[in-house]
Amino acid sequence: DMPSAGLKINDDVVTQYAALKMGRDMDFLILEPTKFDKRKKPKAIGVDTWFPREDADVAELKADDDREANFKTRVWPKFVETMKAYGDSKQGNGSEPRFAVIKFFYEHNSLKRDKLVFFSYINEDVPIYQKMIFSSSKDSVLAKLEGIQIKFNFTEASEFNDWDAILRDVVA
């Protein structure tokens, strides 16, 4: 008995997304399946984590007066490292699906720009039920996140390595 609309979206998703979108103190937000029932089936999507959270990272963001120039070195490696970890079969739990939104800063034709970019990362190793219910919830998540400009659907960790291709799609 799979709900047709997928998973419920927790309020914290909308609240944290608004903070990411409007504020200057968050670079990215990661969403996870949550509220598991007795059979370990998720019932909702909630906030997993965001960046920055550690004092040193927060201080670095506050000091960053050129987010476009520093995005590739300050933010992107942390994002990739965080996302790739969900594709690892860590603690023997296998892979876990994640959605993420990143405030993507870049320069194009000498203009400073930023876009809200959505990533769906559902590794091939994610259990089939989770894969199905998580991907079927993507549209309802996106409906709650107004202003997303670009979407990526990744199934392999290595896809995060192709900076040039990702940047090309963001700029396009």
Side-chain angles (χ1 to χ4, degrees):
D1 50 307
M2 214 170 99
S4 56
L7 303 168
K8 180 185 172 299
I9 294 141
N10 292 348
D11 294 341
D12 66 346
V13 169
V14 178
T15 317
Q16 287 287 64
Y17 175 69
L20 171 69
K21 191 172 157 184
M22 307 311 292
R24 275 199 43 86
D25 43 3
M26 202 188 307
D27 292 303
F28 61 79
L29 177 64
I30 296 179
L31 310 178
E32 66 178 346
T34 180
K35 297 201 170 131
F36 291 88
D37 65 15
K38 288 186 195 76
R39 295 173 306 163
K40 298 204 168 145
K41 304 241 195 284
K43 294 290 176 222
I45 290 174
V47 170
D48 174 10
T49 191
W50 60 88
F51 178 83
R53 290 181 87 151
E54 305 291 323
D55 292 345
D57 294 325
V58 170
E60 218 176 308
L61 169 56
K62 288 204 179 353
D64 190 348
D65 53 6
D66 191 349
R67 288 177 85 174
E68 295 77 16
N70 297 327
F71 179 83
K72 189 180 172 184
T73 53
R74 185 181 67 77
V75 181
W76 187 249
K78 291 279 192 196
F79 178 69
V80 169
E81 178 191 338
T82 306
M83 292 301 280
K84 279 184 171 185
Y86 300 113
D88 284 348
S89 300
K90 50 175 199 231
Q91 294 119 32
N93 298 333
S95 299
E96 298 174 26
R98 288 295 186 273
F99 295 142
V101 183
I102 188 165
K103 211 169 194 177
F104 200 106
F105 286 86
Y106 62 99
E107 253 177 78
H108 184 59
N109 296 336
S110 306
L111 294 172
K112 292 175 186 281
R113 302 267 174 97
D114 65 276
K115 286 183 180 172
L116 291 161
V117 180
F118 180 87
F119 286 85
S120 166
Y121 180 40
I122 306 176
N123 190 286
E124 294 300 337
D125 300 332
V126 169
I128 193 74
Y129 177 87
Q130 278 207 35
K131 201 182 283 188
M132 279 168 30
I133 196 162
F134 205 70
S135 48
S136 73
S137 305
K138 187 172 70 176
D139 290 341
S140 39
V141 170
L142 283 164
K144 297 253 187 201
L145 308 179
E146 285 180 30
I148 297 284
Q149 289 149 297
I150 292 143
K151 303 175 198 79
F152 290 96
N153 296 307
F154 285 178
T155 56
E156 289 178 31
S158 62
E159 292 176 274
F160 288 101
N161 298 341
D162 198 345
W163 167 260
D164 294 332
I166 292 166
L167 182 63
R168 200 166 44 243
D169 287 349
V170 168
V171 170

